[in-house]
Amino acid sequence: MNDYEKFNSHVPGWKKELMYKLPYLGHRNWIVITDMAYPLQSGEGIRTLYAEEDYEDVLSQVKDIIDEAPHVFPHIYGDRELDFIPEEDAPGITALKQKIAGICGEEIVRIPHEELISRLDEAGRMFNVVIIKTPLTMAYTSTFFELDCNYWSADKQKRLDEAMSKPHSPDLFSNETPVL
């Protein structure tokens, strides 16, 4: 067995597939880490994988994979409902919330679960969504990564849009460069 085969024999299938797909994913694509009860969505662009590892391990690995990608960065969303689930209704939820915060930091924006499902459904009509289900059995624990372009900012896009809205069009054969 060569080094490549040894490496691949120890890498879980979901991770291999994500690492294969990531160069193809870009802004408007999503990657979602979920609990067991998350629904199997049927949109054409939605691919669901299963990971046998703990939720926190999968979340950490996915966050690291995205953070290492040169072309995308994530907007991170979580179910708003999670903030309201008390420990007595879901033993262990407080520790899980702390682990999620430790992995994702303060970057998570909380949105109601049904709204996030709707966003994925809409995105899956035109763009790819990768859902990774885990064996976790706690409600409202999904973490949603909406990918965005890592090398083109909203400020750059705003300047470009403003420049394009002006009546002046540079002569493509001159040395004149449009001011952005």
Side-chain angles (χ1 to χ4, degrees), residues 2-134:
N2 64 35
D3 288 341
Y4 178 77
E5 290 167 333
K6 286 179 191 173
F7 171 78
N8 274 313
S9 68
H10 298 293
V11 176
W14 69 266
K15 190 172 183 180
K16 285 180 197 173
E17 185 158 347
L18 180 61
M19 291 173 76
Y20 172 78
K21 283 185 168 287
L22 190 60
Y24 296 98
L25 300 177
H27 75 288
R28 298 185 184 152
N29 292 125
W30 292 68
I31 300 170
V32 185
I33 316 307
T34 73
D35 60 87
M36 281 292 288
Y38 190 88
L40 181 60
Q41 289 183 266
S42 59
E44 186 177 325
I46 298 175
R47 172 86 166 119
T48 301
L49 308 173
Y50 182 73
E52 294 180 1
E53 298 92 67
D54 289 338
Y55 177 90
E56 309 91 280
D57 293 337
V58 174
L59 179 61
S60 180
Q61 290 178 61
V62 169
K63 175 97 168 54
D64 289 346
I65 290 168
I66 295 170
D67 286 347
E68 291 173 10
H71 66 297
V72 291
F73 75 93
H75 299 282
I76 306 174
Y77 306 103
D79 296 323
R80 183 170 185 265
E81 292 86 346
L82 182 61
D83 290 340
F84 297 92
I85 297 176
E87 186 70 22
E88 60 268 12
D89 288 346
I93 198 77
T94 302
L96 181 62
K97 290 177 191 179
Q98 291 169 347
K99 289 177 184 175
I100 293 170
I103 294 166
C104 297
E106 299 298 319
E107 301 174 55
I108 297 178
V109 174
R110 297 284 179 201
I111 296 175
H113 183 75
E114 287 304 317
E115 184 178 330
L116 287 165
I117 297 277
S118 293
R119 286 186 185 189
L120 284 187
D121 184 49
E122 182 68 29
R125 292 180 192 165
M126 291 184 64
F127 305 103
N128 280 262
V129 174
V130 177
I131 297 172
I132 304 169
K133 290 183 76 158
T134 69

Side-chain angles (χ1 to χ4, degrees), residues 149-161:
C149 183
N150 200 25
Y151 51 85
W152 191 255
S153 69
D155 288 339
K156 289 178 184 177
Q157 186 63 42
K158 182 179 176 185
R159 289 193 303 272
L160 176 62
D161 291 344

